[in-house]
Amino acid sequence: MNRMEYMNSLILKLIALTTMIIDHYGAIFQPGNLTFRLIGRLAFPIYCFLLVEGFFHTKDVKKYSLRLFLFALISELPFDYAFFGGIYWGHQNIFFTLFIGLIAMILLEKSKDGSYITKLLVGLSAAFIATVLSTDYAYIGIIYILAFYYTHWIPSLKRLTIVAAIMFLTNMIGSSGLQQYSLLALIPLMMYNNKQGLKNKILQLSFYAAYPLHLLLFAILK
C-alpha cells in the first residue's frame, strides 16, 4: 500500500458526514457566511464516490436501492422543515439524487452490451428526472455519479484526473463558482485504500439515519 493511501470507506464517510453537517448549518443558520458552504462542497463528491463503490461491492443491489429510497422518504419532512420552514414540493433531498443515480447504474449494467445510444438515453433520462423533481444537485449530481461509475476500472490517479475534468466543466456550465471547491473532495479520494474499515449493521444504519436526524434537530432549533 502506498504510504499516502490510508483513507478507508469509514474515514471517507466520516469526512462526508461532517462536512455535510457543517454545510447545512451554514445554509440554515448563517447563510451569509460562505466559509461553511465552502467546507460543505467536499461532502457530495465523496458521497457519489461511495455510492459507486457500494454499487460494485454490494451483495444485494435491490436492498441497497430500497434502503436509499426509504431514507429519501424518511428525510423529506426534516429536509423541508429545516430548509424551507414547512412542507415544500419544489426541492427534494439528496437521497433522491443518490437513488436515481443508483437506478441509472443498475440499468447501465443491464445494458452493458447495448449500444452507446441506449447508455446515453439512460444517463440523460436520469439527469432529466432529477432535474424535473428538483432533487438536491439535480442533473449535476447525476453527472458526478456517472463520472465515477464510468471510470471505476481506471487506475486511481488517472481516474480522479478524468473525474476532476468532468466536475470542473459541469460546475462551469451549471452552478455557481462556489461549487468549484467541490474539486477539493478529490484530495481525500486520492488517499483511498480500497478497504472498508470497521463495518456492521448498526454503524451502516447510523450513517443513513444521521441525515434526517441532524436535519430534524436543525429544524427544531430554527
Side-chain angles (χ1 to χ4, degrees), residues 174-191:
S175 61
S176 65
L178 188 65
Q179 188 59 25
Q180 290 294 8
Y181 287 96
S182 63
L183 292 167
L184 294 173
L186 300 179
I187 296 174
L189 294 182
M190 287 175 64
M191 303 174 190

Side-chain angles (χ1 to χ4, degrees), residues 44 97 100 123-132 134-146 169-175:
F44 186 62
T97 310
I100 294 169
L124 289 175
S125 297
F128 177 76
I129 292 170
T131 301
V132 169
S134 294
T135 66
D136 226 6
Y137 287 91
Y139 72 90
I140 292 175
I142 302 302
I143 292 174
Y144 282 17
I145 292 167
L146 294 184
L169 292 173
T170 303
N171 295 340
M172 285 277 290
I173 296 169
S175 61

Side-chain angles (χ1 to χ4, degrees), residues 145-178:
I145 292 167
L146 294 184
F148 283 116
Y149 168 78
Y150 276 116
T151 59
H152 181 257
W153 301 110
I154 298 175
S156 179
L157 185 58
K158 186 177 180 181
R159 177 191 188 189
L160 294 178
T161 302
I162 295 170
V163 172
I166 294 170
M167 287 174 59
F168 178 79
L169 292 173
T170 303
N171 295 340
M172 285 277 290
I173 296 169
S175 61
S176 65
L178 188 65

Side-chain angles (χ1 to χ4, degrees), residues 38-91:
L38 189 154
I39 294 171
R41 296 312 92 207
L42 275 68
F44 186 62
I46 296 176
Y47 277 125
C48 292
F49 174 84
L50 291 171
L51 178 76
V52 174
E53 291 298 300
F55 171 72
F56 281 109
H57 291 100
T58 185
K59 295 178 181 177
D60 194 332
V61 72
K62 289 183 179 178
K63 285 185 179 179
Y64 191 17
S65 56
L66 181 61
R67 192 161 54 242
L68 282 177
F69 185 66
L70 179 61
F71 273 93
L73 296 178
I74 292 171
S75 302
E76 191 57 27
L77 278 180
F79 177 81
D80 286 351
Y81 276 90
F83 285 101
F84 306 107
I87 295 174
Y88 181 66
W89 300 104
H91 200 103

Side-chain angles (χ1 to χ4, degrees), residues 6-123:
Y6 54 82
M7 292 279 185
N8 58 38
S9 292
L10 178 60
I11 296 173
L12 289 177
K13 287 176 183 176
L14 288 170
I15 293 173
L17 178 61
T18 302
T19 53
M20 177 185 67
I21 293 174
I22 291 171
D23 179 53
H24 290 170
Y25 172 82
I28 294 168
F29 297 107
Q30 297 200 36
N33 189 337
L34 294 181
T35 303
F36 296 104
R37 308 310 311 280
L38 189 154
I39 294 171
R41 296 312 92 207
L42 275 68
F44 186 62
I46 296 176
Y47 277 125
C48 292
F49 174 84
L50 291 171
L51 178 76
V52 174
E53 291 298 300
F55 171 72
F56 281 109
H57 291 100
T58 185
K59 295 178 181 177
D60 194 332
V61 72
K62 289 183 179 178
K63 285 185 179 179
Y64 191 17
S65 56
L66 181 61
R67 192 161 54 242
L68 282 177
F69 185 66
L70 179 61
F71 273 93
L73 296 178
I74 292 171
S75 302
E76 191 57 27
L77 278 180
F79 177 81
D80 286 351
Y81 276 90
F83 285 101
F84 306 107
I87 295 174
Y88 181 66
W89 300 104
H91 200 103
Q92 322 311 324
N93 71 76
I94 198 63
F95 270 120
F96 282 107
T97 310
L98 297 175
F99 172 73
I100 294 169
L102 179 60
I103 297 300
M105 289 191 288
I106 292 171
L107 294 175
L108 286 168
E109 283 295 296
K110 288 182 180 297
S111 62
K112 216 169 191 178
D113 299 325
S115 66
Y116 287 111
I117 294 177
T118 301
K119 295 174 183 177
L120 180 62
L121 285 175
V122 170

